[in-house]
Amino acid sequence: MAWSFTSDRPVYLQIAEKVTRSVISGEYSPGDQIPSVRQLALEAAVNPNTVQRAFLELENEKLIRSKGTLGRFVTDNVEDIEKARRKYAERIIKKFISDMSELSIPVEQTTELLKEVSL
Amino acid sequence: MAWSFTSDRPVYLQIAEKVTRSVISGEYSPGDQIPSVRQLALEAAVNPNTVQRAFLELENEKLIRSKGTLGRFVTDNVEDIEKARRKYAERIIKKFISDMSELSIPVEQTTELLKEVSL
Amino acid sequence: MAWSFTSDRPVYLQIAEKVTRSVISGEYSPGDQIPSVRQLALEAAVNPNTVQRAFLELENEKLIRSKGTLGRFVTDNVEDIEKARRKYAERIIKKFISDMSELSIPVEQTTELLKEVSL
Amino acid sequence: MAWSFTSDRPVYLQIAEKVTRSVISGEYSPGDQIPSVRQLALEAAVNPNTVQRAFLELENEKLIRSKGTLGRFVTDNVEDIEKARRKYAERIIKKFISDMSELSIPVEQTTELLKEVSL
DNA sequence: GTGGTCTAGACCACT
DNA sequence: GTGGTCTAGACCACG
């Protein structure tokens, strides 16, 4: 994994997001063990507390669960993953829509271009 | 204007893009004078040559014109602005599509969500 | 190649033009690699940035393409070369016409002389 | 007059040529007095001998004549001017043809472009 | 070694 | 003052 952070959003959210992406995209399968706090902290060159904070977010969304000393694992509840996927997709879509409206691009042109490009 | 640059793309492109957005969105109208090389360089805290390079890009796309010692001006050819608008929109759309597919989100779900969110 | 520059036009344009001539005339074939920035800068005894600027022009006209670290290559799109040829020819012709009219030589005499000389 | 010389041809020829152009184009009329050697040498920042040499050329072509201490004058023989005009035009045309053939531009395309451009 | 980017600073002309 | 050009030199990414 390559880690790089922007300064416009909290680092812990950026970490949580990256893990979320890995789960949603299937890179991490349901039930898979995920890297430890210490390892991720090393890789990303951040403080372990920051990673801890990120994992807290992911546990709140029920994307991962801690099994004590065994480590942390991706949830095996596909429902929860699906929920996260929709939530994440929604964020991307909102960003997309705001990007487009920022350019005063009418909706019709947007959908028209969407069709063209997806071909 | 607030200027901040990421390190993953050339600064001159980020400047060019910002000006492009201003033109496309109508913040700068056709025929408007745009800030001088030196002024933008000051604002953005970059070398004047970097701004010059950015403007060169915009002139290649015919979005702006130099009137020599008078300064630089947004093109008064609406055609060219429209072209830039479509090109820019296309970039956003491609990014959007790649973001979505990166999450293994099928196209049907994308369009479905698009409708939900835009309501 | 022999390099000499006049002071009435930017050096980078004179370099770009010389390369253009080489491509148009067939000295460089489509797909051929062209000399590197540094080598040309040495030969022409100019700063590498000046050559870079010249190449930028040629890339805008799609006469050459950069293949990253592999070097720069003449386009393999004959269409683009043909376009450049016409553009270049047009420049010569315009110069010719302006030269002639500067001498108050009527068009009829010009064409008449053209025939005589070309025989 | 603005004077600038290239290094690829003798300066005295460049001076002679410039005067020739002035005569041919009608800037100097038949019988007009032309600037003195000293004045031209000053203007062009060259040695008077160089100007002298240029005038020698022009006298050989009968374009100008010296009237002793009165100065030099454009010939009032329009025949001679006409001859010079044709000779000069021929040079331009030869240059034009060599420029075009250097680019491997076929004659048909040349004449075709000539028509387009002259419109 | 090649291209790409960026900075610092200079000089010029004056659409 | 503005844009345009040019130089000198630096660092980076890619293989």
Side-chain angles (χ1 to χ4, degrees), chain B residues 19 23 28 32-36 39 55 58 64 71-74:
Chain B
V19 177
V23 173
Y28 293 161
D32 276 8
Q33 182 165 14
I34 66 175
S36 77
Q39 185 186 335
F55 284 176
L58 297 173
I64 65 176
R72 280 192 170 82
F73 298 80
V74 175

Side-chain angles (χ1 to χ4, degrees), chain A residues 103-117:
Chain A
L103 300 182
S104 319
I105 296 179
V107 187
E108 308 84 45
Q109 196 173 350
T110 298
T111 54
E112 177 194 345
L113 280 165
L114 243 182
K115 276 181 207 154
E116 283 182 29
V117 177

Side-chain angles (χ1 to χ4, degrees), chain A residues 9-25:
Chain A
R9 294 177 54 230
V11 173
Y12 81 90
L13 278 184
Q14 299 182 52
I15 294 175
E17 194 173 300
K18 184 134 192 172
V19 177
T20 301
R21 269 203 303 276
S22 298
V23 173
I24 291 178
S25 69

Side-chain angles (χ1 to χ4, degrees), chain B residues 5-73:
Chain B
F5 302 111
T6 66
S7 57
D8 58 341
R9 293 180 55 232
V11 174
Y12 79 91
L13 280 183
Q14 299 182 51
I15 295 175
E17 195 171 299
K18 183 134 194 169
V19 177
T20 300
R21 270 202 303 275
S22 298
V23 173
I24 291 178
S25 71
E27 187 186 334
Y28 293 161
S29 301
D32 276 8
Q33 182 165 14
I34 66 175
S36 77
V37 168
R38 286 165 172 88
Q39 185 186 335
L40 226 56
L42 264 179
E43 279 184 22
V46 296
N47 188 285
N49 284 331
T50 303
V51 177
Q52 191 90 13
R53 182 82 172 75
F55 284 176
L56 187 59
E57 284 292 315
L58 297 173
E59 278 172 12
N60 283 337
E61 295 179 7
K62 299 187 175 164
L63 254 193
I64 65 176
R65 274 190 62 208
S66 165
K67 293 193 182 170
T69 175
L70 295 175
R72 280 192 170 82
F73 298 80

Side-chain angles (χ1 to χ4, degrees), chain C residues 23-39:
Chain C
V23 173
I24 291 178
S25 70
E27 186 185 335
Y28 293 161
S29 302
D32 276 8
Q33 182 166 15
I34 66 175
S36 76
V37 168
R38 287 166 172 88
Q39 185 186 335

Side-chain angles (χ1 to χ4, degrees), chain A residues 3 11 21-22 33 60 69 76 89 92 94 104 110 115:
Chain A
W3 293 95
V11 173
R21 269 203 303 276
S22 298
Q33 181 166 16
N60 282 339
T69 60
D76 44 15
I92 294 177
K94 276 185 177 151
S104 319
T110 298
K115 276 181 207 154

Side-chain angles (χ1 to χ4, degrees), chain C residues 21 24-25 82 85-86 88-90 92-94 96 100 102-105 109 112-114 116, chain D residues 21 24-25 82 85-86 88-89 92-94 96 102-105 109 112-114 116-117:
Chain C
R21 269 201 304 275
I24 291 178
S25 70
E82 186 55 28
R85 187 202 303 285
R86 296 184 80 94
Y88 196 91
E90 204 165 301
I92 294 178
I93 291 174
K94 275 184 177 151
F96 172 61
M100 296 303 274
E102 198 177 84
L103 300 180
S104 316
I105 296 179
Q109 196 172 352
E112 176 194 344
L113 280 164
L114 240 183
E116 284 180 29
Chain D
R21 270 203 303 277
I24 292 178
S25 69
E82 186 55 28
R85 185 202 305 283
R86 297 185 78 94
Y88 196 90
I92 293 178
I93 290 173
K94 277 186 177 149
F96 171 62
E102 194 180 271
L103 300 182
S104 318
I105 296 178
Q109 197 174 351
E112 176 194 345
L113 280 164
L114 242 183
E116 283 181 29
V117 177

Side-chain angles (χ1 to χ4, degrees), chain D residues 66-80:
Chain D
S66 164
K67 294 192 181 172
T69 61
L70 291 176
R72 283 189 171 78
F73 297 80
V74 175
T75 180
D76 44 15
N77 182 341
V78 268
E79 277 284 316
D80 289 330

